[in-house]
């Protein structure tokens, strides 16, 4: 029941912010992509890199993890590694990243209770740590388009299993825009729209067109700033 006296123009506690979440990338590796059949692999790569750049724009802590990188799965996706060139990568033997001490310690070190998770494959390397983190009190947001399974059914069933356990499905663009949330935040306005132009397909082209025809502040940043300043 709504208490009108308590209603205010303020974000809800469930929203992701740069200060309350961490992003976990699990097993975005060549061998895992080879076995992915739930969707277009190029699109999954694009979404993964878009998510990584979103985390970088807002200085959100990330955990990068691989499984059997030297013996089976190969190195971390190069495009992802390029976004975080000096970041430590946690390599594991466990399919469930949450059973690896170094991985869990890296997550704990972020100090964040909301975990944004993406990985390959959805039905193994995403669902297992997600269920494990939920059981220990974390809030988990699964980036479905930056994840993939061996088949459409495997991916979808894993997503549904995680939803039933309490995880929240999101997309990489949703995460990016939820972190920005106000076009008047000028310090991240430019970097955010740049990520959109690079990775968000037709949406990005729309920004390119609008900025070319209308001007650099086509998304309303300057107008909103002036409105707030009363000028």
């Amino acid at each position: 029941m709504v208490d009108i006296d308590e209603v205010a123009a303020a974000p809800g506690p469930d929203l992701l912010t740069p200060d309350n979440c961490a992003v976990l990338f699990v097993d975005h590796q060549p061998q895992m992509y080879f076995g992915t059949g739930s969707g277009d692999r190029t699109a999954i790569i694009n979404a993964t890199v878009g998510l990584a750049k979103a985390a970088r724009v807002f200085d959100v802590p990330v955990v990068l993890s691989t499984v059997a990188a030297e013996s089976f799965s190969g190195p971390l996706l190069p495009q992802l590694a390029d976004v975080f060139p000096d970041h430590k990568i946690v390599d594991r033997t466990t399919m469930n990243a949450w059973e690896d001490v170094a991985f869990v310690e890296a997550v704990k070190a972020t100090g964040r209770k909301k975990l944004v998770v993406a990985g390959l494959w959805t039905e193994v390397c995403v669902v297992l740590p997600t269920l494990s983190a939920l059981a220990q009190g974390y809030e988990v947001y699964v980036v479905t388009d930056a994840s993939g399974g061996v088949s459409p059914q495997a991916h979808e069933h894993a997503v549904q299993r995680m939803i039933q356990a309490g995880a929240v499905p999101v997309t990489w663009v949703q995460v990016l825009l939820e972190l920005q949330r106000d076009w008047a935040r000028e310090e991240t306005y430019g970097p955010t729209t740049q990520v959109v132009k690079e990775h968000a397909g037709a949406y990005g082209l729309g920004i390119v067109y609008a900025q070319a025809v209308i001007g650099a502040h086509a998304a309303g940043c300057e107008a909103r700033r002036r409105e707030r300043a009363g000028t």
Side-chain angles (χ1 to χ4, degrees):
M1 190 171 181
V2 176
D3 183 347
I4 298 299
D5 293 332
E6 297 296 323
V7 175
D14 290 337
L15 296 183
L16 298 170
T17 74
D19 299 320
N20 70 11
C21 68
V23 182
L24 316 183
F25 294 91
V26 184
D27 304 350
H28 291 95
Q29 300 166 260
Q31 190 66 251
M32 307 307 291
Y33 275 104
F34 296 159
T36 297
S38 60
D40 180 74
R41 285 173 286 190
T42 300
I44 297 172
I45 291 172
N46 177 70
T48 301
V49 178
L51 177 65
K53 291 182 178 180
R56 184 178 65 183
V57 165
F58 293 94
D59 198 25
V60 173
V62 303
V63 176
L64 306 177
S65 187
T66 55
V67 62
E70 296 184 4
S71 61
F72 178 74
S73 301
L76 187 71
L77 178 71
Q79 299 95 313
L80 175 55
D82 286 346
V83 179
F84 307 107
D86 300 317
H87 203 287
K88 180 181 179 181
I89 300 170
V90 179
D91 191 49
R92 319 176 321 276
T93 61
T94 61
M95 287 182 281
N96 180 7
W98 210 264
E99 294 180 46
D100 183 273
V101 173
F103 180 88
V104 174
E105 289 301 316
V107 174
K108 290 168 62 177
T110 69
R112 306 299 172 83
K113 300 297 179 63
K114 294 180 185 289
L115 305 180
V116 178
V117 182
L120 303 176
W121 297 316
T122 320
E123 67 272 24
V124 182
C125 300
V126 177
V127 73
L128 298 182
T130 292
L131 296 179
S132 301
L134 287 168
Q136 294 187 19
Y138 283 90
E139 298 174 48
V140 183
Y141 299 74
V142 179
V143 190
T144 59
D145 56 352
S147 304
V150 298
S151 69
Q153 293 90 342
H155 175 75
E156 181 59 29
H157 292 172
V159 171
Q160 290 302 318
R161 183 181 180 188
M162 289 184 283
I163 291 172
Q164 290 173 10
V168 179
V170 293
T171 65
W172 81 265
V173 170
Q174 181 179 349
V175 172
L176 172 68
L177 298 184
E178 193 163 325
L179 294 174
Q180 174 68 27
R181 225 174 54 245
D182 187 340
W183 293 121
R185 292 175 177 162
E186 297 182 358
E187 66 277 7
T188 52
Y189 170 82
T192 292
T193 55
Q194 184 60 35
V195 174
V196 170
K197 286 188 284 187
E198 292 174 356
H199 296 282
Y203 174 26
L205 287 177
I207 291 181
V208 171
Y209 174 82
Q211 290 182 337
V213 174
I214 302 172
H217 297 284
C221 179
E222 180 65 16
R224 182 65 171 160
R225 185 190 68 77
R226 290 179 179 276
E227 177 185 324
R228 288 185 169 182
T231 61

